[in-house]
Amino acid sequence: MSSDNVNDGPMTAAEAPDPATVKIAPAPDARAEKTLTRDLVSSVVVFLVALPLCMGIAVASGVPAEKGLITGIIGGIVVGALAGSPLQVSGPAAGLAVIVFELVQRFGLGMLGPILVLAGMIQLAAGALRLGQWFRAISPAVVHGMLAGIGILIVAGQAHVLFGNGPGPHGLDNLLAIPAAFGTLNLGDLGATEAAFGVGLVTIIGMLAWEKLRPARLKVVPGALLGVLAATILTQAFNLPVKLVEVPASIAAAVQVPTLANFARLAEPTIFITAIAIAFIASAETLLSAAAVDRMHTGPRTKYNKELGAQGIGNMLCGLAGALPMTGVIVRSSANVQAGARTRMSAIFHGVWILGLVALLPWLLRLIPAPALAGVLVVTGWRLVSFDHAKHLFARHGLLPTITWAVTLVMVVATDLLTGVLIGMALTVVELIPSIRRMGLRIRDQAAGEHHREVSLEGSATFLHLPRLAKVLEAAPNSSPIRLNLERVGMLDHTMAEMLTEWLKGRRRVSAPVEVMADEPMRRRLALEGEH
């Protein structure tokens, strides 16, 4: 008998259980203490993952390393407290490094702050207008193609830092210049170029080797931290002639409030469009990351509009501080969940640890060699290039979504981020052309027996209807059996199919009863082969 089921009245001797079998439930204070302990441990893990990434993404964005640390602090302490996704961690994202680099090159570092303030205001307004679910309707092919293109650009840019140089302003030029950069190495005369390359290589090898060979009991120790640590020790021990990270002695000195003259330039069309692009991409990456985090745990689900508003406030503060833009980031968030986080306090604490390190031990950060951070970004960028996702799209949904992924990737690399995403989204619409005359979708949500529900669809299930269907499905309690009837669906695009697949996986993960009524081709697309 659990303590939750004990009656308020006195227990008779006959009702009393054998003392040897009684399990005493922990008192509320004990449970709270255990939760706090798990959150503290998780926050340290996230801090160790976030530290090199915050600095490396800043350097990859063409701004000083402290800009990324400020964003990590705001993302942890402020957005962590306001977030609609309690276990998601926010901070600078590799996905925005390319667009920030181009922004700084084109408009100057002084315009980064005002653009972020405007982007944050757009996000805040989108959350207030309850547009959060619409960002989930963006095609997975476009999102993963965009991230793959960004990954290639990051690798191309940071490869030149490994040779002691800086990245050029154009990603395609960086990519084409990599073979020539290797030609500058002279192993017979070890100078600054060779030292920088060696430090970066040690970082990469250290990361990959640790992640492959680390013992199970040390799995929470991040490879990026070990790689940077090894490179730092090597640099300091042999006094190698490589560039070190520059961090100001005071965190206050790193805050640069934009001027009124900078804000006045927001009226320029190109700058205004850049702010919209950052708001759009940051929101999409955040909410897709939040959906992925929800699939990792069984706790509270994401409130998408609240999360969008919290990100908007965070980006406005980053803009006022002259820092990097932020998003919800999946690498740090997954580390948070896997380390056992229970509440939003883990994300908040990780921001406190970054603040403490920057405020109390800035000299320690100035020992880190810049090529080590480039090595971290090379590995991070390459991991964004997921060819497995392209294979998945082709196997489940055919040629057109795979082409959308590939074209988005190529256009992001060859032109710019916004152009690539817009072209990818245009190709997504092409998938709807065969059903253009019957685009409606009827959703019925009704009782099917005393304790059962049935959600039946009739018509074309496309990304245009995803927010409405997602709201219906996610409102279904896990304790109640649900039947999903797709027998009258004439067309199912890959965006809707991916959402349904993830929803079904989420139900299975918590052993929530669900039955799907569909023909075999549709069952294959939803990864239901062999289930009846």
Side-chain angles (χ1 to χ4, degrees):
M1 181 183 298
S2 70
S3 59
D4 294 333
N5 295 325
V6 174
N7 295 325
D8 292 334
M11 182 180 293
T12 67
E15 292 170 326
D18 181 353
T21 65
V22 174
K23 294 183 179 180
I24 305 298
D29 287 346
R31 286 196 296 266
E33 183 178 347
K34 184 177 180 180
T35 296
L36 181 61
T37 300
R38 296 295 292 271
D39 285 339
L40 280 170
V41 172
S42 301
S43 71
V44 173
V45 173
V46 177
F47 161 70
L48 296 176
V49 173
L51 184 63
L53 289 175
C54 286
M55 301 175 70
I57 290 168
V59 173
S61 301
V63 304
E66 65 267 19
K67 302 290 186 183
L69 294 170
I70 294 172
T71 299
I73 293 167
I74 294 173
I77 298 174
V78 178
V79 177
L82 302 175
S85 179
L87 298 186
Q88 178 161 253
V89 179
S90 297
L96 287 174
V98 173
I99 195 170
V100 172
F101 184 87
E102 294 175 352
L103 181 164
V104 172
Q105 294 290 318
R106 187 174 183 184
F107 304 118
L109 182 58
M111 281 308 300
L112 178 59
I115 288 173
L116 289 193
V117 171
L118 180 55
M121 292 173 64
I122 293 170
Q123 288 181 296
L124 189 60
L129 294 172
R130 308 188 68 78
L131 300 180
Q133 289 280 7
W134 278 102
F135 284 92
R136 298 177 65 195
I138 300 172
S139 161
V142 173
V143 173
H144 287 276
M146 176 192 75
L147 292 176
I150 288 169
I152 290 174
L153 292 176
I154 289 173
V155 171
Q158 294 307 297
H160 293 284
V161 180
L162 292 180
F163 296 97
N165 303 314
H170 302 294
L172 191 57
D173 292 341
N174 286 330
L175 187 63
L176 296 176
I178 289 178
F182 275 99
T184 64
L185 290 175
N186 182 3
L187 299 181
D189 182 17
L190 299 180
T193 299
E194 291 73 24
F197 184 77
V199 167
L201 193 61
V202 165
T203 306
I204 294 171
I205 293 174
M207 284 181 65
L208 299 179
W210 174 255
E211 291 172 3
K212 185 174 182 179
L213 302 174
R214 62 187 168 191
R217 64 180 180 277
L218 295 178
K219 66 178 181 180
V220 296
V221 178
L225 180 71
L226 269 293
V228 170
L229 183 61
T232 302
I233 293 173
L234 177 68
T235 300
Q236 297 300 322
F238 293 95
N239 195 25
L240 297 178
V242 298
K243 182 180 179 181
L244 303 181
V245 172
E246 298 178 4
V247 179
S250 167
I251 184 64
V255 176
Q256 296 179 335
V257 180
T259 64
L260 291 177
N262 293 139
F263 278 105
R265 293 189 62 191
L266 288 175
E268 297 178 23
T270 52
I271 291 178
F272 189 82
I273 291 173
T274 301
I276 294 175
I278 288 179
F280 176 82
I281 293 169
S283 300
E285 189 169 344
T286 291
L287 298 183
L288 290 168
S289 172
V293 172
D294 279 353
R295 296 194 292 270
M296 298 177 189
H297 66 91
T298 59
R301 305 290 90 183
T302 295
K303 298 177 181 177
Y304 290 96
N305 296 309
K306 183 180 179 182
E307 179 68 26
L308 194 54
Q311 294 289 327
I313 292 172
N315 274 318
M316 290 170 65
L317 291 175
C318 288
L320 292 174
L324 283 181
M326 74 169 60
T327 73
V329 278
I330 189 60
V331 172
R332 276 153 272 182
S333 300
S334 60
N336 192 37
V337 175
Q338 290 167 6
R342 292 292 180 265
T343 73
R344 67 180 67 246
M345 290 307 300
S346 176
I348 295 172
F349 282 136
H350 115 276
V352 172
W353 306 146
I354 297 176
L355 175 60
L357 181 66
V358 175
L360 301 177
L361 299 172
W363 60 268
L364 185 61
L365 299 177
R366 288 195 287 269
L367 298 177
I368 299 173
L373 297 181
V376 171
L377 266 295
V378 166
V379 175
T380 302
W382 181 248
R383 285 173 175 168
L384 291 175
V385 188
S386 175
F387 293 105
D388 287 341
H389 189 79
K391 295 176 183 177
H392 165 80
L393 286 171
F394 183 75
R396 293 288 179 193
H397 310 297
L399 186 60
L400 184 55
T402 313
I403 291 175
T404 300
W405 177 88
V407 170
T408 303
L409 183 160
V410 171
M411 295 308 296
V412 165
V413 173
T415 58
D416 58 74
L417 196 60
L418 184 59
T419 301
V421 170
L422 291 177
I423 291 175
M425 293 177 70
L427 287 175
T428 301
V429 177
V430 173
E431 192 176 358
L432 308 183
I433 291 178
S435 304
I436 197 70
R437 293 186 178 181
R438 49 186 191 281
M439 292 302 299
L441 178 68
R442 187 174 183 180
I443 303 174
R444 292 182 179 177
D445 180 15
Q446 56 193 359
E450 185 176 355
H451 300 292
H452 291 67
R453 295 177 63 185
E454 178 171 321
V455 176
S456 58
L457 310 184
E458 181 177 351
S460 298
T462 70
F463 69 89
L464 298 173
H465 310 287
L466 188 148
R468 187 160 54 102
L469 179 59
K471 184 177 180 180
V472 171
L473 293 177
E474 290 171 0
N478 290 334
S479 58
S480 175
I482 185 171
R483 178 186 299 135
L484 180 62
N485 190 336
L486 305 176
E487 292 180 328
R488 295 187 178 183
V489 173
M491 186 264 188
L492 181 72
D493 75 352
H494 79 277
T495 306
M496 186 71 92
E498 290 286 288
M499 186 278 287
L500 289 174
T501 299
E502 295 302 334
W503 176 77
L504 289 167
K505 287 181 180 177
R507 296 280 296 187
R508 294 193 201 100
R509 190 172 296 110
V510 296
S511 301
V514 60
E515 176 189 358
V516 180
M517 300 175 65
D519 59 24
E520 273 309 309
M522 189 166 293
R523 296 182 73 85
R524 283 195 296 272
R525 293 192 66 190
L526 299 179
L528 295 173
E529 300 97 326
E531 296 185 18
H532 299 284

